[in-house]
Amino acid sequence: MKYYSTNNQNLNYSFREAIMRGLASDGGLIMPQYIPALKKSFINNLNNLTFQEIAFEISKLFITDKIPSNSLQTIIEKAINFKAPLYKLNSNTGILELFYGPTLAFKDFGARFMAQFMNYYVDKMNNKIDILVATSGDTGSAVASAFYGIDGINVYILYPSGMVSQVQEKQLTTFGNNITALEIKGSFDDCQNLVKKAFVDKEINEKYNLTSANSINIARLIPQSFYYFEAYKQITDKYDNVIFSVPSGNLGNLTAGLFAKKMGLPITKFIAANNFNNVFSNYIKTKIFKSKPTIKTISNAMDVGNPSNFIRIFKLYNEKHGLIVKDINSSYHSDEDTLKEIKYLYKKYSYLIDPHGAVASLALKKYIKEENPENYYGVILETAHPFKFNDILKNILNINVEIPDSIKHSLEQKKVSIKLSNTYSLFKEFLLSRG
Ligand SMILES: *Cc1c(COP(=O)(O)O)cnc(C)c1O
């Protein structure tokens, strides 16, 4: 399996090159040259496979570099070491809970898979690498947690001081060891700019072997396809229509679902659920992809005005809007309706959903109402643990979400960060003094 740049079909990489680069050298996103097909017997036999066995079989098809089978198995066992249960809400709706990873969001799947592969390749190279990440919260904690304790990889996380939630800050700043939290006096964009400049800085590159752990890395996408199979396995009866509603921002989660369908998983329809950052929803409706400035909402991980994975979906469907709308429906929803939906699900089912999952629930309902599919089963992807949004839930439901055991520990630790201004020369000085 080779990988290509979305800017140039003829610019090719191996999986190892793809993961280490992140982006193609011409700035394009990296895509598999084809989506491998799974055997029908594999799909029919999902019931008899564990989540890790499913992950292993899919990985083998995407990663054909010379990685011994037992090494691949170890990588998967270390990365995908938590469950993805389908909570049966009612007879034809399930909620796929993707928040059992260490940082309570589905981004753990991608970050851990990428970290374990980098670990494997660094061992082989006998070299050290350094990772720079700018974060507005969730990505940084998933990356920090995934790389924590990995020999030969140092991670520097830049986050905007005072602009991440308390829980997020604890998750960024309490690891220590090979993880360094840099608290930047400035905005997320400032953090992003510092990282971008460092990547093209000659002096820094002489001292450091820099890599990004960017969300557009193909190694973060592949493992996200695993849980669509795991969800399908848990739907016990036969349905004519299986529909997945995906809370969407940068469209990585949706792209991974489309991979699963192309591999042969019989999903009838995807729904891209947007908040008022509705660039993709507008594209589905108007055939025109037009980025917009972001709007702040309560489902903040979906506040994306220029979703970078759009180009991957576009390529997957040969750039044809007509083919895209056959497989994907999309709608967008207000904060007000999102809060109502959280209340409704709690009152009716005693189910606590986070704002991102609530948007997906709204989008599924709208689709069912308008299209009236026969004999359907709808799956809502719940991408974050409701505890992460305790403030919002406390406000509208008058309850306190219980702290999940997995993060109690980090909440008790002392925050350790290095405070820096947003001036590039000072950031550079800091890096050079450390290298
Ligand atoms: C990142 C994120 C999303 C959006 O996922 P994309 O793959 O960027 O579309 C949705 N929900 C949560 C909780 C997230 O952290």
Side-chain angles (χ1 to χ4, degrees):
M1 166 78 77
K2 280 275 179 191
Y3 291 80
Y4 74 93
S5 162
T6 53
N7 283 346
N8 177 2
Q9 187 83 33
N10 299 319
L11 181 57
N12 293 155
Y13 298 105
S14 67
F15 178 74
R16 175 186 174 145
E17 288 163 336
I19 182 172
M20 288 310 194
R21 299 194 56 89
L23 269 180
S25 60
D26 62 358
L29 265 60
I30 293 176
M31 273 287 271
Q33 268 184 333
Y34 61 93
I35 303 298
L38 283 158
K39 291 202 186 82
K40 257 235 163 67
S41 59
F42 174 82
I43 310 280
N44 293 333
N45 191 39
L46 283 175
N47 255 324
N48 299 316
L49 300 175
T50 64
F51 191 15
Q52 290 185 341
E53 284 166 345
I54 292 171
F56 180 69
E57 291 304 321
I58 296 170
S59 301
K60 268 199 311 202
L61 300 177
F62 278 103
I63 300 144
T64 53
D65 294 16
K66 293 189 190 83
I67 297 179
S69 188
N70 60 340
S71 300
L72 185 58
Q73 199 146 355
T74 307
I75 287 170
I76 284 165
E77 278 165 13
K78 284 190 177 161
I80 313 294
N81 59 353
F82 51 94
K83 61 186 175 176
L86 186 70
Y87 178 88
K88 309 270 168 68
L89 191 67
N90 59 35
S91 61
N92 55 6
T93 317
I95 301 181
L96 184 65
E97 298 181 335
L98 299 173
F99 52 66
Y100 287 95
T103 69
L104 311 180
F106 83 101
K107 292 200 169 66
D108 284 323
F109 285 99
R112 295 176 69 78
F113 191 79
M114 177 174 64
Q116 289 305 326
F117 269 103
M118 285 194 176
N119 183 19
Y120 175 80
Y121 289 128
V122 165
D123 269 0
K124 294 273 158 277
M125 294 188 309
N126 234 330
N127 203 344
K128 278 168 75 87
I129 57 176
D130 299 276
I131 291 177
L132 292 183
V133 214
T135 184
S136 54
D138 279 345
T139 301
S141 52
V143 168
S145 159
F147 282 95
Y148 174 67
I150 292 184
D151 260 358
I153 305 185
N154 283 317
V155 180
Y156 295 91
I157 298 188
L158 290 76
Y159 74 96
S161 180
M163 313 257 263
V164 301
S165 79
Q166 238 175 5
V167 176
Q168 283 173 334
E169 185 165 42
K170 281 280 184 178
Q171 288 183 317
L172 292 171
T173 58
T174 55
F175 282 105
N177 191 345
N178 61 328
I179 313 291
T180 306
L182 303 178
E183 185 175 351
I184 306 295
K185 209 172 185 174
S187 65
F188 168 67
D189 286 335
D190 292 334
C191 297
Q192 186 93 25
N193 282 333
L194 294 176
V195 168
K196 278 188 184 156
K197 280 189 186 153
F199 271 108
V200 293
D201 189 307
K202 210 172 147 238
E203 278 171 83
I204 288 180
N205 281 288
E206 272 166 14
K207 244 184 161 162
Y208 284 91
N209 192 2
L210 288 184
T211 301
S212 93
N214 210 301
S215 67
I216 45 83
N217 198 304
I218 188 71
R220 288 184 50 171
L221 218 55
I222 292 168
Q224 291 183 32
S225 66
F226 304 160
Y227 48 71
Y228 287 87
F229 290 86
E230 180 69 4
Y232 192 86
K233 171 180 111 179
Q234 295 173 74
I235 305 172
T236 34
D237 291 319
K238 273 250 168 245
Y239 295 89
D240 297 331
N241 288 295
V242 174
I243 302 157
F244 276 78
S245 185
V246 186
S248 295
N250 230 346
L251 299 171
N253 208 352
L254 177 66
T255 307
L258 299 171
F259 280 14
K261 181 174 165 72
K262 297 232 168 209
M263 278 183 261
L265 192 66
I267 298 173
T268 322
K269 202 88 179 181
F270 289 90
I271 304 169
N274 278 162
N275 59 27
F276 268 25
N277 296 281
N278 58 0
V279 169
F280 188 71
S281 186
N282 283 347
Y283 166 74
I284 293 292
K285 200 149 115 208
T286 65
K287 301 189 189 177
I288 297 164
F289 181 85
K290 193 164 183 292
S291 65
K292 296 206 281 191
T294 46
I295 303 167
K296 206 170 152 57
T297 76
I298 55 168
S299 45
N300 57 9
M302 289 149 63
D303 295 352
V304 178
N306 188 11
S308 38
N309 283 297
F310 174 76
I311 184 70
R312 284 191 165 125
I313 296 177
F314 202 50
K315 292 285 175 190
L316 209 53
Y317 286 91
N318 296 322
E319 312 192 359
K320 291 199 168 61
H321 179 269
L323 295 178
I324 291 176
V325 293
K326 260 176 74 182
D327 284 357
I328 313 171
N329 173 280
S330 183
S331 60
Y332 64 95
H333 303 272
S334 68
D335 277 357
E336 196 188 347
D337 286 346
T338 305
L339 291 171
K340 275 193 202 147
E341 184 65 7
I342 293 173
K343 264 193 203 160
Y344 169 79
L345 290 173
Y346 187 66
K347 295 254 152 69
K348 168 119 183 163
Y349 298 102
S350 305
Y351 190 85
L352 269 179
I353 201 159
D354 97 293
H356 303 82
V359 174
S361 177
L362 286 168
L364 176 65
K365 277 185 185 161
K366 185 173 157 68
Y367 175 77
I368 301 296
K369 196 165 158 218
E370 287 173 359
E371 303 295 326
N372 207 9
E374 277 176 25
N375 187 26
Y376 76 89
Y377 193 90
V379 178
I380 295 161
L381 266 54
E382 170 61 324
T383 43
H385 193 291
F387 175 75
K388 289 194 127 174
F389 302 90
N390 192 25
D391 293 351
I392 294 171
L393 299 187
K394 193 153 67 180
N395 227 328
I396 59 166
L397 303 175
N398 244 324
I399 56 156
N400 259 312
V401 187
E402 229 178 280
I403 303 181
D405 287 339
S406 56
I407 66 156
K408 270 189 188 144
H409 179 73
S410 75
L411 295 182
E412 287 160 5
Q413 306 292 304
K414 206 170 154 277
K415 162 185 160 182
V416 180
S417 71
I418 294 171
K419 292 198 168 118
L420 291 175
S421 82
N422 60 0
T423 314
Y424 181 69
S425 57
L426 296 175
F427 174 61
K428 176 172 176 174
E429 204 174 287
F430 165 79
L431 281 182
L432 292 177
S433 72
R434 300 262 299 202

